[in-house]
Amino acid sequence: MKQNSNNPVTLKAENLTKVYGSGHTEVVAVRNVSLAVSRGEIVALLGPSGAGKSTLLTLLGLIRPPNMGKIIIDDTIVFENHKAKVNVRTFRRQKFGFVFQKTNLIPFLTAAENVRLAMEIDDQPAKASRKRAMELLEYLGVAERAENMPSQLSGGEQQRVAVARALANRPSLILADEPTAALDSVRGRQVMELFAKVAHEQNAGVIVVTHDHRSLEVFDRTFEMEDGQLRESGSQ
Amino acid sequence: MNLASRDIKHNIGRFILTTIGVGLLLMIVMGMGGIYRGLVQDATLLIDRLSPDLWVVQKDTRGPFAEISRIPSNLEDRILAVPGVLSSCGFVSHTLQRERKNKPWRITVQGLSWPQDKGNWLPIVAGRPLWKAHYEMLADESLKLPLGEKVKFGKDIYTVVGLTRAMSSPAGDGMAFFTLTDAQSIQFDTSGEATRLERSARYARAENLDLGLTQPQTMERTLGPVSQLPALGPPVISAVVVKVNRGINPEHVQSIISKWPDVSVYSSEKQRQFLLSGVVERSKKQLGLFRRLLIIVSAIIMALIIYTLTIDKLHDIAMLKLIGARNIVILNLILQQALLLGILAYGTAYIIGHWTFPFFPRKVVLISHDLWLLAGIVILISILSSLIGIAKALTVEPNEVLA
């Protein structure tokens, strides 16, 4: 288990196992996986379809509970085996940012409102959230589309807005599931570089599940997943 | 940031159409209540306007509003002789159906005890009360007769000298007011041949009476007009309305008249009860049933609409949960939309109702008690209908975003 030794560890997963079904229908989606990610670090999870990448991401993102193992976020034990030790929804709100292949922007909110939403549901003042939303959109190069609805944005622009939303609450960790799958190679590379920039400049740990082997040089470390097991395949 | 209003703004066309649809449904519920109120108001209009102390009717009948009541017109004089009676007026009411402009035209003929009663108590909005003993009439606006119009009833022609407002019978037909004798003439109008036959029959009846045998002059009078032979003529009025002197207990007068073997006597309140429990009760039950059914239908439709709106947003709701939104954020989104839909639909119902109710064939009376009650019911069904959507939304897992 290798990690960026200069920054504190934000995510630590120990011996995570996730099993679906039981008896003869039992499927072990994630088998005894351990992983640590530091702030400012960007790692890739690679592997074929059905290898368990997305399931691992849902475990790390506190979306599903593991059957066994431990998840520690910023020194707080969040899951121990299948038991949540904290309010996971609050933890997700305050510690995580999510980006997906489908941008999942709320269709009835403008780009700026989508970013503000993440802050306002965390009870941040409206004025401050408006200011930060504009700063983030500017940082990601889509400030001029702030008042546009998601349907009026291109795929790349939507993905940038989704990244802005993920960054809104200054998360410790950003989890991205196939964020470039719907983009062409140029835009896909731009988004990957954006994640690297975010990791390094915003000091957040970034885990990206991807099939895209063309941009692997942007990652600090890469992991291969197969049959629910994780192994480190490279580091910069 | 209000998510409910943002979502509505994004789907404004669909929301407006839905609001109008639910609003029209609520307008029918509102209208049903108004029709019932109108029915009661029409039914009790004359009782309330005349406001007599007592109603004297044919023995063992429930009065002119419940069933046929026939009493002799000279009963007025007998009652006037009772100590404590201030006034007694004959009451004649019957409905005619004629053709007017090639359409059925229903009119309720009401007799006034002229000259004591010229119709001054009526809500006359144009023209004047009755000044002459014959051939004048006051017509309700709903009959669409202009002032000065001449209308033929039976063998006579009557001139409209005044117009009243909102005077209709329990059946909803417009009223026309005549002197009592004119109302009787219209009611008992018969053809010349029928009159000749009746006079012959009357002569034959009188021949068999002692009176006819001992008083030959009476036989000659039987061949004359009915009005000249009241004792032998048919009973001609429906009731006598009685007012007692100030300071006299109406029950005292009632106890005196009720001892007479040929009449029954009721207080105004009793007459009102007969009317409401007899004529209006079944309509009230029918309308009440329709109202309840429509409220249930409205609730089901609203629940389906809110549920559909929620289903459309399930992916967004899963995303909200994923980024950590509390349940109250999701609950507010659905509940606020349901309440807004209910409130706006109610407002639509009220506005469209006010615009269209005057064109309804029956009188629609909206009273604030009914309006507030319906508003409360609408808010309640908005909340209840949102519960199904809320229940669905709360079961959505955040991992559905990944689906």
Side-chain angles (χ1 to χ4, degrees):
Chain A
M1 196 160 62
K2 185 180 172 182
Q3 62 199 64
N4 188 333
S5 55
N6 298 327
N7 289 328
V9 171
T10 185
L11 168 81
K12 200 169 176 187
E14 293 174 2
N15 306 315
L16 289 184
T17 298
K18 182 68 183 176
V19 181
Y20 292 117
S22 60
H24 64 280
T25 61
E26 182 178 289
V27 175
V28 182
V30 173
R31 193 187 300 270
N32 207 28
V33 167
S34 295
L35 173 72
V37 178
S38 301
R39 281 180 173 268
E41 185 182 29
I42 176 165
V43 302
L45 292 183
L46 306 167
S49 292
K53 306 185 296 296
S54 292
T55 301
L56 177 61
L57 203 74
T58 62
L59 300 182
L60 299 177
L62 316 181
I63 298 168
R64 288 190 179 112
N67 293 93
M68 279 191 292
K70 195 188 275 185
I71 299 173
I72 301 162
I73 311 280
D74 289 341
D75 300 325
T76 303
I77 298 173
V78 181
F79 268 112
E80 192 155 17
N81 297 326
H82 62 280
K83 237 180 171 175
K85 300 284 185 185
V86 295
N87 182 331
V88 290
R89 210 184 282 190
T90 307
F91 228 77
R92 275 204 306 269
R93 185 167 67 234
Q94 293 172 344
K95 299 282 184 183
F96 286 86
F98 294 92
V99 182
F100 301 98
Q101 175 186 338
K102 199 172 161 237
T103 55
N104 294 308
L105 295 175
I106 307 291
F108 51 83
L109 299 180
T110 63
E113 286 170 342
N114 263 287
V115 182
R116 275 172 54 201
L117 178 67
M119 291 178 271
E120 290 195 11
I121 61 176
D122 195 34
D123 296 332
Q124 293 181 31
K127 196 176 170 187
S129 60
R130 252 193 299 271
K131 185 167 176 267
R132 177 151 173 82
M134 284 314 294
E135 282 170 4
L136 285 169
L137 291 174
E138 211 159 296
Y139 174 69
L140 293 163
V142 279
E144 75 281 4
R145 312 305 303 268
E147 295 311 315
N148 286 102
M149 304 304 282
S151 59
Q152 297 169 313
L153 305 177
S154 70
E157 286 170 334
Q158 286 186 28
Q159 203 58 282
R160 282 165 186 269
V161 175
V163 174
R165 181 176 65 188
L167 288 171
N169 286 330
R170 296 180 174 84
S172 309
L173 202 63
I174 294 174
L175 302 178
D177 189 12
E178 305 276 10
T180 60
L183 303 177
D184 60 41
S185 58
V186 177
R187 287 182 200 282
R189 180 163 185 87
Q190 283 173 348
V191 169
M192 288 302 192
E193 284 169 353
L194 185 65
F195 278 118
K197 181 181 167 187
V198 163
H200 300 140
E201 291 180 8
Q202 305 281 322
N203 201 29
V206 178
I207 301 174
V208 181
V209 169
T210 182
H211 277 104
D212 191 352
H213 286 253
R214 291 169 299 187
S215 313
L216 292 183
E217 68 276 10
V218 304
F219 294 98
D220 296 319
R221 287 187 291 158
T222 57
F223 291 87
E224 282 282 347
M225 211 162 173
E226 196 158 5
D227 297 331
Q229 289 180 309
L230 188 73
R231 67 176 175 82
E232 189 167 341
S233 55
S235 61
Q236 303 273 323
Chain B
M1 188 190 320
N2 187 291
L3 294 179
S5 64
R6 296 291 202 289
D7 185 31
I8 289 167
K9 201 173 146 192
H10 188 243
N11 296 298
I12 192 71
R14 186 171 66 167
F15 188 80
I16 288 172
L17 281 177
T18 308
T19 303
I20 291 171
V22 177
L24 288 172
L25 204 59
L26 291 178
M27 188 199 83
I28 298 170
V29 178
M30 205 178 267
M32 288 279 182
I35 288 169
Y36 165 66
R37 294 287 175 192
L39 209 66
V40 171
Q41 200 178 79
D42 281 350
T44 57
L45 193 69
L46 265 183
I47 295 177
D48 292 343
R49 288 270 181 191
L50 286 168
S51 63
D53 296 308
L54 299 171
W55 287 78
V56 182
V57 301
Q58 184 181 331
K59 184 73 177 172
D60 294 334
T61 68
R62 299 296 172 107
F65 301 111
E67 56 187 308
I68 291 172
S69 166
R70 290 273 179 261
I71 50 175
S73 56
N74 62 5
L75 196 65
E76 271 185 69
D77 303 322
R78 278 168 59 194
I79 292 168
L80 204 54
V82 174
V85 171
L86 175 67
S87 68
S88 69
C89 298
F91 180 89
V92 168
S93 181
H94 54 97
T95 302
L96 307 173
Q97 182 166 326
R98 298 283 185 271
E99 286 277 319
R100 186 173 162 81
K101 294 178 181 170
N102 296 324
K103 283 183 182 171
W105 185 55
R106 288 178 64 81
I107 174 169
T108 298
V109 173
Q110 199 69 43
L112 300 177
S113 280
W114 199 89
Q116 305 96 305
D117 184 0
K118 297 184 174 74
N120 289 305
W121 53 275
L122 290 165
I124 296 173
V125 291
R128 57 169 175 81
L130 301 180
W131 284 353
K132 294 181 187 169
H134 290 292
Y135 314 126
E136 286 189 347
M137 65 184 278
L138 303 171
D140 190 66
E141 283 179 319
S142 61
L143 293 170
K144 297 191 169 61
L145 290 171
L147 271 182
E149 174 98 350
K150 294 189 184 305
V151 190
K152 190 174 184 211
F153 291 112
K155 297 179 192 68
D156 301 313
I157 292 170
Y158 299 84
T159 306
V160 178
V161 296
L163 297 178
T164 62
R165 179 165 292 165
M167 293 300 292
S168 46
S169 72
D173 303 316
M175 283 183 180
F177 298 85
F178 303 79
T179 62
L180 202 62
T181 45
D182 282 353
Q184 290 166 327
S185 300
I186 294 167
Q187 184 177 15
F188 299 112
D189 174 56
T190 46
S191 64
E193 181 58 21
T195 304
R196 276 190 292 279
L197 289 171
E198 163 57 19
R199 286 177 183 175
S200 300
R202 194 187 304 154
Y203 187 88
R205 283 200 302 274
E207 267 186 328
N208 295 324
L209 295 173
D210 283 347
L211 183 69
L213 298 171
T214 56
Q215 302 280 333
Q217 277 188 320
T218 309
M219 297 303 293
E220 289 168 25
R221 293 184 67 188
T222 57
L223 295 171
V226 172
S227 58
Q228 291 171 14
L229 199 61
L232 287 175
V236 285
I237 58 174
S238 307
V240 175
V241 291
V242 181
K243 283 193 178 180
V244 302
N245 281 312
R246 189 175 290 178
I248 300 291
N249 187 349
E251 283 178 16
H252 172 69
V253 176
Q254 186 176 3
S255 69
I256 295 170
I257 301 174
S258 61
K259 287 179 186 140
W260 297 356
D262 58 339
V263 293
S264 292
V265 56
Y266 302 110
S267 66
S268 261
E269 187 49 40
K270 192 73 183 166
Q271 194 60 227
R272 195 184 160 89
Q273 280 174 18
F274 285 148
L275 211 156
L276 292 178
S277 62
V279 180
V280 181
E281 187 64 19
R282 199 169 295 169
S283 302
K284 177 188 171 183
K285 282 182 182 165
Q286 185 77 62
L287 288 169
L289 183 68
F290 274 130
R291 283 182 85 187
R292 284 188 200 98
L293 285 173
L294 279 169
I295 286 171
I296 292 168
V297 170
S298 307
I300 291 169
I301 289 175
M302 279 186 73
L304 282 174
I305 290 167
I306 298 298
Y307 184 74
T308 309
L309 288 173
T310 307
I311 292 288
D312 285 352
K313 286 193 289 286
L314 277 188
H315 191 83
D316 303 324
I317 288 167
M319 187 62 203
L320 284 170
K321 285 188 173 185
L322 184 81
I323 62 174
R326 296 176 187 89
N327 282 341
I328 191 77
V329 173
I330 294 151
L331 191 141
N332 273 340
L333 168 64
I334 298 165
L335 186 61
Q336 284 172 6
Q337 282 190 345
L339 284 172
L340 202 64
L341 177 67
I343 291 166
L344 290 178
Y346 181 84
T348 306
Y350 184 78
I351 291 165
I352 299 178
H354 260 263
W355 185 53
T356 55
F357 288 158
F359 301 103
F360 276 31
R362 288 296 309 237
K363 188 191 283 179
V364 181
V365 177
L366 298 179
I367 63 169
S368 56
H369 171 267
D370 290 353
L371 292 173
W372 281 114
L373 184 68
L374 183 61
I377 290 170
V378 169
I379 287 174
L380 190 70
I381 61 175
S382 300
I383 293 169
L384 290 177
S385 62
S386 69
L387 292 181
I388 303 168
I390 288 169
K392 179 72 185 168
L394 293 183
T395 57
V396 172
E397 291 293 330
N399 58 38
E400 287 181 32
V401 173
L402 307 172

